[in-house]
Amino acid sequence: MSEILLAGLALACGALVQGAVGYGMNLIAAPLLTLVDPRLVPVPLLLIALAHALLTVAREYRHVDWRGVGFVTAGRLPGTALGVLAVALLAPRAFAGAVAVAVLVCVVLSVVSWTPRPAPRSLLVAGLASGTFGTASSIGGPPLALLYQHSAGPEIRATLGACFALGSSISLLALGLAGQVNTGHLVTVAWLLPFLVAGFLLSGPARRFLHGRRMRVAVLSVATVSALVLLTRSVVG
């Protein structure tokens, strides 16, 4: 029971951050869940992520950029394959370090001069990067969030939620076909769902403070923390 409580608190915190900013739950939850019980990753966390994404889309569905979601998903499919290839061929710590540096460079460019826009080509590239980074390092949100950083808060949250819902579904389908999903995972998720819902509900009031420049600062801050976590992981293992 103590393990469920610890895992639930980690998920509640992650759900609060992602519900307010649009992404970041895996950044907070994945390392802690792995420490509590490695069996909580990836299948239970993917199921939880799917539930959170669906809640986000349901809450702000009017603001989803469905055109952008289509391009991102088209890029994510080959990106997922590249991520699997990266895991098989590259040293995990070196790859994580490269991802971290790439994200930090994008953050610095965003602050200094770069003004990314969700155009078809950039959406495909962001989807490719998200699929690759997410599959190989479990942190695939920053490429998408950086691309939408100048959009309104509801559009960022809803669009990323739709992308995550599709991405999680694809991953779960692949794992299910490989026989990696079982009823035990569903029971575990049932115990953890109340914590997810609590964190998601708490994110509602937090959204009121994140608009305009504050939302962009939040997006860049979470991206920076994601990159630093990856960089630390690549250095210390």
Side-chain angles (χ1 to χ4, degrees):
M1 183 58 69
S2 60
E3 291 181 350
I4 291 292
L5 182 59
L6 288 172
L9 290 175
L11 284 171
C13 292
L16 170 58
V17 171
Q18 184 154 315
V21 181
Y23 73 118
M25 184 165 70
N26 280 4
L27 165 67
I28 296 170
L32 294 173
L33 292 184
T34 303
L35 288 174
V36 170
D37 187 346
R39 292 173 297 180
L40 293 172
V41 180
V43 174
L45 181 57
L46 279 171
L47 289 167
I48 289 291
L50 175 59
H52 191 287
L54 293 175
L55 286 172
T56 300
V57 174
R59 184 167 66 182
E60 299 185 289
Y61 68 92
R62 293 185 181 87
H63 302 283
V64 177
D65 175 16
W66 290 110
R67 175 173 169 272
V69 172
F71 282 112
V72 167
T73 304
R76 187 182 180 94
L77 292 173
T80 300
L82 285 176
V84 172
L85 191 63
V87 170
L89 299 179
L90 303 177
R93 290 172 64 177
F95 183 78
V99 171
V101 171
V103 172
L104 286 174
V105 168
C106 289
V107 170
V108 171
L109 289 175
S110 297
V111 173
V112 176
S113 60
W114 183 43
T115 307
R117 298 296 180 190
R121 183 179 298 178
S122 57
L123 286 164
L124 285 169
V125 172
L128 183 73
S130 179
T132 305
F133 296 175
T135 301
S137 67
S138 79
I139 297 179
L144 304 180
L146 289 170
L147 190 59
Y148 278 94
Q149 64 181 274
H150 293 283
S151 302
E155 183 178 355
I156 295 174
R157 290 187 293 267
T159 303
L160 265 62
C163 291
F164 294 153
L166 287 171
S168 298
S169 298
I170 292 169
S171 298
L172 286 168
L173 177 61
L175 289 167
L177 292 174
Q180 298 299 313
V181 181
N182 56 58
T183 53
H185 292 141
L186 300 178
V187 172
T188 300
V189 169
W191 279 101
L192 294 174
L193 272 179
F195 296 94
L196 170 77
V197 173
F200 179 78
L201 292 176
L202 287 173
S203 72
R207 292 179 303 158
R208 301 172 190 169
F209 300 98
L210 294 174
H211 52 81
R213 187 174 181 277
R214 288 180 181 174
M215 186 64 182
R216 181 167 180 256
V217 169
V219 166
L220 294 177
S221 298
V222 175
T224 301
V225 172
S226 301
L228 292 176
V229 167
L230 275 180
L231 197 58
T232 303
R233 201 186 293 172
S234 69
V235 172
V236 303

